[in-house]
Amino acid sequence: TEVTPFATMVVGGGALGNLQHRRCPIAHHELTPFMAIIDPNLVMDMPRDITAEAGMNALAHTIEAYTSVYSNEFTDGQALQALKLLKFYLPRAYHNGKDDPIAREKVHNAATIAGIAHANAGMGICHSMGHALETLLNIPRGVAKGLLLTNVVLYNSSRPATSEKESERMECQYAEMAMHLGLTNKANSSASKDGSTAFLEWIKKMKEDLSIPSSLQYWGMKEKQFQNQLEGLVEIAWEDPCVNTNSRPPVKDDLRKIFTDSYYDSSYRC
């Protein structure tokens, strides 16, 4: 956030959990700072849970910047570099804390680079839906995105009959990230599919390594509460501007299904 043109305001009356109380993103280039001080010494004593949450938030920034409809040659390099730093150093920073100052510094830098990338490329529905979870359920930002990320990847790379070509492009982008991380290679006739699958499995492993819950249900949300809040979650996500830059244009039913699958720990399927 230190290097982006974005800010978030809490608006409306009432308590958390109702549609009048919202976290609203604001975007304007006048919000971009002239200078940002990125000092890893400030985060050396960060608690483990906040390290995981901030790390997952940065990971979502890199992935959605790389796959945004506004991604470009300038932002792709930043997203890939941030992604690689997070792969190698985020688990170390989480497990070792201040005893591994190099990992702390690298993750701090990765989050900043990811911020520059998404500031110039935009984001996607993982952010839109994550903002909804923050608003209605007060789930920490990084955890909210972590709960949704795998199903968003599956949604973007799935193959509805009307947009098979687009889903193939998304598979290719996820495969490119997998190859950049050394998870797979090009020497395969089905490289895009295999690479996309390898990338998805890596995200799942990272979530497990950081103790990010696999579903909203495991997070502790009661089923009745989820059912009561579902339509509100969909409405808030639908009105979020990040919907407009998602690689695969969603409809409300898509968001509803992703929320539902992410509650019950189910993998998204068309």
Side-chain angles (χ1 to χ4, degrees):
T1 302
E2 295 88 349
V3 292
T4 74
F6 304 127
T8 303
M9 289 185 64
V10 178
V11 298
L16 276 169
N18 66 65
L19 292 177
Q20 284 70 49
H21 184 109
R22 299 195 183 194
R23 288 180 171 94
C24 295
I26 302 172
H28 197 286
H29 284 292
E30 289 295 327
L31 293 172
T32 306
F34 292 107
M35 179 183 294
I37 299 173
I38 311 301
D39 185 354
N41 290 307
L42 299 176
V43 297
M44 286 296 166
D45 294 313
M46 181 182 289
R48 180 176 286 187
D49 58 338
I50 300 178
T51 300
E53 294 162 13
M56 282 304 303
N57 194 42
L59 185 63
H61 287 161
T62 66
I63 295 170
E64 295 217 301
Y66 193 76
T67 57
S68 165
V69 295
Y70 291 144
S71 65
N72 56 75
E73 291 86 351
F74 296 97
T75 60
D76 284 352
Q78 294 166 331
L80 290 174
Q81 177 62 13
L83 189 65
K84 197 166 191 176
L85 289 171
L86 291 170
K87 177 182 185 288
F88 288 108
Y89 293 105
L90 179 54
R92 281 174 49 178
Y94 174 73
H95 290 290
N96 302 334
K98 65 181 179 180
D99 294 329
D100 195 341
I102 296 298
R104 281 288 199 208
E105 180 179 9
K106 296 295 187 182
V107 172
H108 203 51
N109 292 342
T112 302
I113 297 168
I116 296 171
H118 84 73
N120 290 280
M123 295 167 283
I125 59 172
C126 187
H127 280 75
S128 302
M129 299 173 73
H131 296 159
L133 290 177
E134 293 173 58
T135 295
L136 287 187
L137 306 177
N138 205 27
I139 296 177
R141 175 161 295 193
V143 173
K145 291 168 188 172
L147 290 168
L148 297 162
L149 189 55
T150 50
N151 274 329
V152 169
V153 170
L154 285 169
Y155 167 76
N156 284 335
S157 57
S158 60
R159 296 175 179 246
T162 56
S163 59
E164 184 168 335
K165 186 174 182 180
E166 187 66 19
S167 67
E168 289 176 352
R169 183 183 71 84
M170 288 304 308
E171 276 189 350
C172 185
Q173 286 185 307
Y174 291 132
E176 288 168 356
M177 286 187 275
M179 286 185 282
H180 187 74
L181 297 179
L183 304 174
T184 186
N185 57 62
K186 297 179 182 178
N188 194 306
S189 59
S190 57
S192 291
K193 184 68 174 178
D194 290 350
S196 179
T197 300
F199 187 67
L200 183 67
E201 291 304 313
W202 173 72
I203 295 174
K204 291 178 180 178
K205 184 178 183 304
M206 178 67 84
K207 287 172 58 175
E208 184 177 333
D209 203 16
L210 299 179
S211 301
I212 300 293
S214 60
S215 70
L216 281 162
Q217 195 170 39
Y218 286 139
W219 169 254
M221 187 180 187
K222 301 298 184 183
E223 186 172 24
K224 185 176 181 180
Q225 182 189 12
F226 171 73
Q227 292 172 345
N228 289 339
Q229 298 282 19
L230 179 56
E231 293 310 308
L233 291 169
V234 171
E235 288 300 320
I236 292 174
W238 181 249
E239 294 175 7
D240 189 277
C242 295
V243 164
N244 300 319
T245 50
N246 195 65
S247 53
R248 176 183 167 190
V251 296
K252 286 185 179 181
D253 283 346
D254 296 329
L255 303 180
R256 187 176 293 107
K257 180 166 174 49
I258 295 170
F259 274 127
T260 301
D261 287 342
S262 298
Y263 178 81
Y264 290 107
D265 200 13
S266 301
S267 295
Y268 178 89
R269 293 289 184 271
C270 284

